[in-house]
Amino acid sequence: MAKPPGPPPGSSGRSRGGKPAGGGRSDGRSTPGGRSGRPGGRAFASRGKARDSERSGRPGAGHGSPGAPRSGRPPVVTVAGGGPQAELWFYGQHAVGAALANPRRTCHRLLGTAEALAELGARVNRPGLVVEAVERPAIDARLGRDVAHQGLALQVAPLPPLSLQKACEPAEVAAPVLALDGITDPHNLGAILRSAAAFGARAVVVPARQSAAINGAAAKAASGALEIVPVVEVPNLSRALLLLKAMGYWALGLDGHATETIGAAPTDVPMVLVLGSEGKGLRRLVAETCDRTARLPIGDAVESLNVSVAAGVALYALVGARPSA
């Protein structure tokens, strides 16, 4: 497929007022380009250091399972009647209800107040699911007192892994793929998944390392979208982009230093939108793998956008604003 003409990969510039536009505050290894404009430069401006919860890649206080390791990944335990299983707990009406409605999701144990279980209705009637009616303090003890669980906690298994080819073929112009580079906050990941579901994204691709944990906090922020949008973990994001390009996709990196705005992106080719962290942006090799970079044309009143907000705006620019959408 012929590529539309454009500046070299990773080209950069300045947004209006000299301020980069972009996304969320989260960490991942990156080669910062400072203000030189070279590939790997900051996609999203940042004032100060990232929050502790984002530097460690784990949710903030009160989120996730008690005793979770610093990586944010759930601990491995042994459940009754089975072998080793990740102790992964989802919470909240939307996240739990969507997980129960997903035939691909294995659900082990459901804790809920009488009122919350009644709202779920027939969805609790799943083979192998142990349902326990409990009071709220019992759920607080499992998840933490600060978690907004809405009277529900569901122990689940991770979804079966998906191959990149299966998740992203056939390449459709109206269904972009999102690739996330260095997004380590599960709340940002969940919010991005929610926008991806809203605008019909085909899949979200994340690196297996230096990426947000797909845990209860991500599921809660996704509000059910985790069960809708395929999430593909890949060993190497740059190689995954090369494979997507070989499948017919055109890679567009969001970079606050880019010369062009996202409005100049082509609309007649399948698109993979690549987003990096606010503080460090796209890593050098990831930026160089993109066919072109673009920025969001934000005003001078703000320095940057959270990455989940930037993802929603960019998806609207690529999909929602089209006359055929």
Side-chain angles (χ1 to χ4, degrees):
M1 178 182 297
K3 299 178 182 176
S11 63
S12 61
R14 302 294 297 176
S15 60
R16 187 172 58 182
K19 297 179 180 179
R25 183 172 298 175
S26 55
D27 288 340
R29 289 189 300 178
S30 171
T31 303
R35 298 185 179 275
S36 64
R38 66 177 183 269
R42 294 188 304 168
F44 314 123
S46 174
R47 294 180 187 266
K49 298 180 179 179
R51 294 188 297 270
D52 290 342
S53 63
E54 295 173 348
R55 286 198 297 267
S56 65
R58 57 189 171 93
H63 293 281
S65 301
R70 291 185 63 84
S71 66
R73 302 293 178 180
V76 175
V77 298
T78 300
V79 296
Q85 174 63 55
E87 187 176 354
L88 181 60
W89 289 88
F90 287 177
Y91 48 85
Q93 279 284 346
H94 291 297
V96 170
L100 290 173
N102 185 0
R104 296 181 64 245
R105 176 74 72 179
T106 299
C107 303
H108 296 292
R109 183 183 177 197
L110 174 62
L111 307 180
T113 63
E115 296 80 5
L117 291 175
E119 288 189 40
L120 289 175
R123 285 176 289 182
V124 303
N125 299 324
R126 285 188 51 142
L129 176 65
V130 177
V131 181
E132 302 177 39
V134 298
E135 299 297 328
R136 296 184 71 91
I139 304 176
D140 293 340
R142 168 62 62 179
L143 302 177
R145 295 180 60 184
D146 295 332
V147 173
H149 51 69
Q150 298 175 307
L152 290 173
L154 176 67
Q155 186 186 20
V156 301
L159 289 173
L162 292 171
S163 71
L164 192 66
Q165 295 92 327
K166 181 177 180 180
C168 300
E169 285 184 341
E172 298 176 1
V173 172
V177 170
L178 288 179
L180 309 182
D181 184 29
I183 309 303
T184 59
D185 185 347
H187 300 88
N188 278 335
L189 173 61
I192 290 171
L193 284 168
R194 192 171 183 178
S195 293
F199 291 104
R202 189 158 189 83
V204 173
V205 181
V206 299
R209 301 181 63 185
Q210 285 85 43
S211 182
I214 303 174
N215 57 15
K220 181 69 161 57
S223 194
L226 184 58
E227 313 300 325
I228 300 172
V229 181
V231 179
V232 183
E233 289 189 324
V234 295
N236 185 290
L237 192 60
S238 297
R239 293 174 187 169
L241 290 176
L242 290 174
L243 179 56
L244 286 170
K245 290 167 67 172
M247 291 164 56
Y249 282 87
W250 200 83
L252 178 68
L254 200 62
D255 184 350
H257 295 293
T259 302
E260 293 184 328
T261 65
I262 196 168
T267 59
D268 58 346
V269 292
M271 186 74 67
V272 51
L273 178 66
V274 191
L275 297 99
S277 66
E278 178 178 343
K280 297 183 178 180
L282 300 173
R283 289 174 293 173
R284 179 186 58 81
L285 188 56
V286 171
E288 290 176 351
T289 308
C290 294
D291 293 298
R292 191 182 299 177
T293 58
R295 60 181 171 82
L296 298 179
I298 65 172
D300 297 341
V302 294
E303 186 177 10
S304 65
L305 296 176
N306 173 273
V307 67
S308 62
V309 176
V313 173
L315 282 171
Y316 177 77
L318 294 177
V319 177
R322 293 175 179 172
S324 59

